[in-house]
Amino acid sequence: MTRKRGGKSPFAGKPGYEVGYGKPPKGGQFKKGQSGNPRGRPKGSKNKVPGLHEERMKGIILDEAYRGITVRDGQRNVTVPIVQAVIRSLAVNAVKGQHRAQRLFAELLASVETSNKALHEEYFNAAIDYKITWERELDRRARLGITDLPDPLPHPDHIVLDLSTGGVRIMGPATQEQKAALDELHRRKVDFEEELAEILQMMEEAETPRMRKFWEDDAAHTRRVLDVIDDALARVPKPGQTRLLGTNG
């Protein structure tokens, strides 16, 4: 649209008001008290008192503790969380012989090790309780002839307890997805075994050395696949095969 020569621009300011960069016309300026971002964060929302369900201070502390900071590490600069930089500084001062730093570092280390030991023992005891409880339940089902109930995941026979180290290992599926994958592996083993039997039959019936060589190669490939499946299944003990580690057995 072409403006007539001499016509007044609709964006022209009032007499005495300069319109230009950083000085929009009066009509295009934000009105006093009206936000330029009405859908943004409410003004002062960060300064409001948190609700009873909020723990804003913990969030702030964690944000600051794990905020990256650049420190000197030998001949190079590295970025580490602030909490790591603080602990490293404390350890260095302890090595330098500062008694207060030595005492504080020793107390922190003892606290962490005690906490880790308590968590480890709690996990080990929970595994023992789980194993004993489900072994009793499965024994009850066997005595009553109950066969329509699913086995627990993980199966108690798949939980291996190491009495010498207090370690716990789960040697079988622990979720429905893992159980489905294991069942599929068993099905594939059956399929490959049937396929191998058919290949061996075709090899016996081969009429030419060339065809016999073809079926021999196919049989070798199928056996390699079965070996892989058997290795995977061997890592999952069958019920009744597990034992306690750290014992004479």
Side-chain angles (χ1 to χ4, degrees), residues 199-217:
I199 293 173
L200 294 177
Q201 181 65 32
M202 297 296 293
M203 187 172 64
E204 291 295 328
E205 298 175 357
E207 297 180 355
T208 65
R210 181 178 179 183
M211 287 302 300
R212 182 177 179 84
K213 180 65 168 58
F214 171 82
W215 291 117
E216 286 178 349
D217 293 342

Side-chain angles (χ1 to χ4, degrees), residues 130-131 133-142 145-159 172-180 182-183 186 236-240:
Y130 179 92
K131 188 175 177 69
T133 299
W134 274 108
E135 283 177 346
R136 289 175 177 172
E137 169 60 16
L138 294 177
D139 180 65
R140 182 189 71 85
R141 294 181 187 180
I146 300 175
T147 59
D148 58 340
L149 296 178
D151 286 340
L153 289 175
H155 194 284
D157 286 342
H158 292 162
I159 298 177
T175 65
Q176 290 293 341
E177 292 76 11
Q178 293 175 352
K179 177 67 165 54
L182 183 62
D183 292 342
H186 281 289
V236 181
K238 295 179 181 179

Side-chain angles (χ1 to χ4, degrees), residues 61 100 143 185 203 206 225:
I61 292 174
R100 184 176 180 180
R143 284 186 286 104
L185 204 57
M203 187 172 64
V225 173

